[in-house]
């Protein structure tokens, strides 16, 4: 009867052992001793309950929910290789440069005519390449991708469409970003072709999905050039899917295309399998942040004016 006086912890430890190698579930030795001390009917009931409990212990739990492993990626859209427009280029192409990943997309327009035939798009992209590498002496076309008005996506800058190629599209923010140029001019009042808008969303969803970035989110980018909207070395919070003008003082990508970016962000997020942003919550947050930044700039400017005024009065008094 010393078995009955054994600590509970010891009984639980032995009861967890299950016989192996025979394919059948055995009863712990302690349970057998206990059953021998019970009357016949009670022992039978205990035997059934114990066996049921052991069987349940070795079954997988059906109630435990499977852990979700959503990657929030999007399929790679069809992309025409750069050979379609760069074939026969005389310029020797230097090796491409790479970042660790892409967490932002900057949308541009090429500020070129809109009335082109889509079959002529490679010719227009070649002209952009010649202008940037000759007149500006760049090492390659600055944009990572170019999208025509029919929604065809072309590879731009060399280095591999699925790799984080460092572009030359947004001064100060070419690192950890990719540049998508809409072939044409999209100033205020100019309609953005639905096929072009859809292709930009598909391309952005795929590229940002490679790093798990939500196209509707804001990301931290470090300015590498004081010629941008931010001093060199400054960490800026910018939209993950931004317009050129968000990072640089310019009217690019044009007021019409800039106005379509909220819808492009939402479409890109949907393609990644994300839930819709009901009520435009993220856009409202971004607008609030922009207003706060403007107010902070205004206050800082006013303080600077007061400081300069006080210094001027002090100089006048010292001269008097």
């Amino acid at each position: 009867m010393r078995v009955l006086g054994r600590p509970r912890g010891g009984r639980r430890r032995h009861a967890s052992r299950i016989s192996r190698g025979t394919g059948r579930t055995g009863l712990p030795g302690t349970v057998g001793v206990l059953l021998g001390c019970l009357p016949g009917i009670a022992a039978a009931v205990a035997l059934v309950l114990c066996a049921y409990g052991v069987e349940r212990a070795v079954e997988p739990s059906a109630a435990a929910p499977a852990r979700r492993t959503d990657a929030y990626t999007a399929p790679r859209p069809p992309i025409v290789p750069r050979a379609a427009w760069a074939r026969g280029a005389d310029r020797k192409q230097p090796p491409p440069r790479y970042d660790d990943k892409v967490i932002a997309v900057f949308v541009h327009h090429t500020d070129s005519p809109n009335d082109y035939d889509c079959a002529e798009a490679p010719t227009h992209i070649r002209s952009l390449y010649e202008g940037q590498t000759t007149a500006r002496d760049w090492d390659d076309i600055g944009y990572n991708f170019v999208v025509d008005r029919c929604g065809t996506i072309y590879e731009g800058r060399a280095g591999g469409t699925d790799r984080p190629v460092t572009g030359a599209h947004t001064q100060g923010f070419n690192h950890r970003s990719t540049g998508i140029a809409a072939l044409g001019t999209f100033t205020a009042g100019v309609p953005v072709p639905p096929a072009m808008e859809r292709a930009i969303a598909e391309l952005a969803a795929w590229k940002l999905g490679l790093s798990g970035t939500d196209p509707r989110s804001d990301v931290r980018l470090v300015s590498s050039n004081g010629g941008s909207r931010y001093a060199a070395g400054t960490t800026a919070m910018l939209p993950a899917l931004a317009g050129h003008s968000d990072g640089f003082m310019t009217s690019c990508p044009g007021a019409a295309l800039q106005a379509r970016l909220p819808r492009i962000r939402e479409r890109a997020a949907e393609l990644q399998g994300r839930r819709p942003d009901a009520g435009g919550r993220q856009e409202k947050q971004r607008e609030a942040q922009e207003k706060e930044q403007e107010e902070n700039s205004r206050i800082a400017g006013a303080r600077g004016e007061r400081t300069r005024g006080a210094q001027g009065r002090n100089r006048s008094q010292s001269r008097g």
Side-chain angles (χ1 to χ4, degrees):
M1 297 300 293
R2 271 195 268 169
V3 176
L4 295 177
R6 185 175 298 167
R8 292 182 180 179
R11 191 161 61 243
R12 282 197 302 271
R13 197 158 50 242
H14 287 296
S16 64
R17 294 176 185 170
I18 299 172
S19 62
R20 298 171 185 169
T22 61
R24 295 175 296 177
T25 302
L27 294 178
T30 303
V31 177
V33 174
L34 288 173
L35 290 176
C37 301
L38 295 175
I41 297 177
V45 173
L47 181 62
V48 172
L49 293 177
C50 185
Y52 176 75
V54 174
E55 290 294 338
R56 294 290 294 172
V58 298
E59 289 178 359
S61 175
R67 181 180 297 176
R68 295 190 62 182
T69 56
D70 294 334
Y72 293 123
T73 57
R76 179 186 186 276
I79 301 173
V80 179
R82 65 182 267 129
W85 58 264
R87 186 179 291 109
D90 295 332
R91 185 183 181 90
K92 184 179 180 180
Q93 191 63 43
R97 297 182 299 276
Y98 297 96
D99 290 299
D100 59 333
K101 58 184 175 180
V102 169
I103 62 171
V105 167
F106 284 97
V107 178
H108 307 254
H109 69 170
T110 58
D111 199 20
S112 53
N114 294 347
D115 58 351
Y116 57 87
D117 188 288
C118 290
E120 300 171 348
T123 302
H124 291 279
I125 298 172
R126 178 62 174 266
S127 296
L128 292 171
Y129 167 81
E130 296 291 350
Q132 293 179 353
T133 57
T134 302
R136 300 184 183 182
D137 197 28
W138 291 2
D139 59 355
D140 194 1
I141 189 171
Y143 312 119
N144 298 94
F145 302 93
V146 180
V147 181
D148 71 13
R149 66 184 184 87
C150 293
T152 303
I153 302 171
Y154 292 86
E155 178 185 9
R157 197 168 183 84
T161 58
D162 59 341
R163 301 189 64 185
V165 180
T166 305
H169 48 81
T170 306
Q171 187 169 331
F173 297 104
N174 288 313
H175 294 287
R176 308 189 92 189
S177 69
T178 197
I180 302 176
L183 190 60
T185 302
F186 299 99
T187 50
V190 178
V192 180
M196 171 181 279
E197 185 176 318
R198 183 168 55 252
I200 293 173
E202 292 173 353
L203 181 55
W206 171 61
K207 287 297 290 186
L208 293 176
L210 296 177
S211 63
T213 303
D214 187 336
R216 303 164 301 186
S217 66
D218 289 336
V219 296
R220 288 180 172 85
L221 293 175
V222 178
S223 173
S224 63
N225 192 304
S228 71
R229 288 189 180 274
Y230 300 85
T234 301
T235 298
M237 286 293 292
L238 296 172
L241 202 164
H244 186 185
S245 57
D246 288 311
F248 185 74
M249 286 73 73
T250 177
S251 60
C252 178
L257 185 51
Q258 184 76 31
R260 299 301 300 167
L261 292 186
R263 176 57 192 141
I264 294 174
R265 292 185 188 108
E266 192 61 40
R267 175 58 179 155
E270 292 172 3
L271 290 169
Q272 288 184 348
R274 300 179 187 273
R275 293 182 179 180
D277 182 18
R281 177 179 55 85
Q282 290 179 324
E283 287 301 323
K284 291 176 181 177
Q285 288 178 346
R286 183 172 293 117
E287 290 174 2
Q289 289 174 352
E290 291 175 352
K291 289 181 180 179
E292 182 179 357
Q293 290 176 352
E294 291 175 359
E295 180 64 15
N296 290 339
S297 298
R298 185 189 66 78
I299 293 173
R303 288 175 179 170
E305 288 295 330
R306 288 198 297 270
T307 301
R308 286 191 292 272
Q311 291 173 346
R313 287 193 298 272
N314 292 336
R315 285 195 296 270
S316 298
Q317 291 171 0
S318 63
R319 285 195 299 268

